[in-house]
Amino acid sequence: MQGTIFDFKRFAVHDGPGIRTTVFLKGCPLRCLWCHNPESWKPEPESAEREIRLDDRLYREKEIIGRKVTVNDLMKELEKERLVMEESQGGVTFSGGEPLMQPRFLLEMLKACQENAFHTAVDTSGFALQEDLLRIMPFTSLFLFDLKMMDMRKHEQFTGADNQLILDNFRWLMQQGKPVRVRIPVVAGYTATRDNLTATLEFLTPYAENLEQVDLLPYHRIGMHKYDKLGICCEMPGESGKPDSQEMDEIYSLFNSNGHKVTIGG
Ligand code: SF4
């Protein structure tokens, strides 16, 4: 069984408990305005151009983003990280893109991880088929579920799809009794408006006791250069989209005072 990944990150500390290895699967059905991983969007490996400056000269070099991997190959790579993952009570996180864009490969990877006693987390946008979520459920130790915007039209405007499927999947997932963490990208003027935060809190109120925690992920522009490299027009919010520390503290307090365990950064 083969899948396509675009990154393999060792020593990840923001993608679930402990020190983790995060496998980034290629392909995403959404197009969030603030996305810092546009190389995740296309499901197949793609070519990009990178610039290298040597002795004041600019060279352009083609590179391929994404690679096909087999379950066996990836398990061998993960095995090398076992010690650090076990000692830190970490594990393996499957992220993207949207990992459920490759449901069969994800399922086989999760099964192999469970057979090899790795803790597993799936970081999902929630824009996925419920039947695929159901299939991976027995092999997933923890779900990291992104909630971006509560207003259906604004969700469509800023991510390319409305949020009905996502919210339905979230409600359904919470009924299954699996550990779930919510992840909220905090983008000033977009997700971090008073209206959206209040609506998100209201939506989460019935689940406050059962949610593991809420991770607030401050917006950054680190991925901006990737758009150029890929020849995609970058519409990421400017510097004003970055929440300052006072804003983050206020949002932290808002969720915390409503009974949620909160972290900044995951
Ligand atoms: S769901 Fe994640 S990877 Fe997909 S476009 Fe949005 S931010 Fe990017």
Side-chain angles (χ1 to χ4, degrees):
M1 163 69 64
Q2 263 196 339
T4 308
I5 66 169
F6 69 93
D7 205 357
F8 181 92
K9 187 162 120 198
R10 299 169 174 86
F11 306 111
V13 292
H14 297 297
D15 296 331
I19 299 175
R20 310 189 68 81
T21 306
T22 302
V23 182
F24 293 84
L25 276 67
K26 210 157 156 31
C28 186
L30 300 184
R31 294 290 180 268
C32 305
L33 208 64
W34 47 84
C35 182
H36 58 263
N37 283 335
E39 76 275 39
S40 72
W41 293 352
K42 287 189 182 165
E44 294 299 322
E46 61 191 303
S47 67
E49 219 172 51
R50 94 182 147 132
E51 292 182 344
I52 307 166
R53 192 171 283 282
L54 275 180
D55 285 341
D56 281 341
R57 283 199 182 159
L58 196 62
Y59 297 88
R60 290 180 195 280
E61 193 185 69
K62 288 250 184 245
E63 67 170 318
I64 300 294
I65 296 180
R67 62 184 165 111
K68 301 265 184 198
V69 284
T70 65
V71 171
N72 280 348
D73 288 345
L74 213 40
M75 289 312 295
K76 279 184 202 152
E77 290 294 304
L78 290 170
E79 197 55 48
K80 293 179 198 161
E81 312 303 320
R82 179 179 289 281
L83 192 62
V84 71
M85 291 195 282
E86 278 183 357
E87 290 204 341
S88 66
Q89 299 187 328
V92 183
T93 297
F94 295 94
S95 183
E98 169 50 64
L100 282 150
M101 284 276 283
Q102 299 183 55
R104 289 181 55 224
F105 177 65
L106 178 64
L107 178 63
E108 293 309 314
M109 279 307 304
L110 288 166
K111 280 183 182 169
C113 283
Q114 194 181 72
E115 276 162 21
N116 287 278
F118 289 124
H119 178 277
T120 55
V122 172
D123 181 9
T124 177
S125 67
F127 198 89
L129 296 178
Q130 207 174 88
E131 64 209 53
D132 289 333
L133 280 164
L134 186 61
R135 277 193 201 104
I136 65 166
M137 193 163 294
F139 311 101
T140 304
S141 320
L142 170 69
F143 283 92
L144 308 173
F145 199 108
D146 302 350
L147 286 181
K148 304 175 199 317
M149 292 196 133
M150 288 295 124
D151 181 90
M152 191 167 81
R153 291 290 148 238
K154 284 193 176 149
H155 196 285
E156 188 169 14
Q157 184 183 355
F158 297 127
T159 75
D162 76 45
N163 57 9
Q164 289 309 291
L165 177 65
I166 294 168
L167 301 184
D168 284 350
N169 278 339
F170 182 83
R171 292 186 193 97
W172 173 82
L173 186 60
M174 290 308 296
Q175 288 167 1
Q176 310 305 311
K178 275 290 197 185
V180 178
R181 289 186 184 185
V182 164
R183 283 153 74 91
I184 302 174
V186 180
V187 192
Y190 293 86
T191 61
T193 62
R194 178 59 61 177
D195 281 356
N196 189 50
L197 294 170
T198 307
T200 307
L201 265 176
E202 271 173 27
F203 178 76
L204 291 178
T205 298
Y207 313 110
E209 273 187 22
N210 298 330
L211 269 185
E212 272 222 345
Q213 67 184 50
V214 174
D215 296 335
L216 302 173
L217 311 176
Y219 170 66
H220 58 75
R221 286 157 51 85
I222 295 168
M224 245 186 88
H225 69 283
K226 297 178 184 175
Y227 285 83
D228 254 2
K229 219 163 91 164
L230 291 160
I232 303 174
C233 172
C234 177
E235 295 180 272
M236 287 176 91
E239 288 295 318
S240 61
K242 288 183 181 173
D244 59 30
S245 56
Q246 190 189 338
E247 207 172 351
M248 287 307 299
D249 288 347
E250 283 170 14
I251 300 170
Y252 178 99
S253 301
L254 187 67
F255 279 85
N256 195 238
S257 61
N258 276 271
H260 295 290
K261 182 182 172 203
V262 190
T263 67
I264 293 181

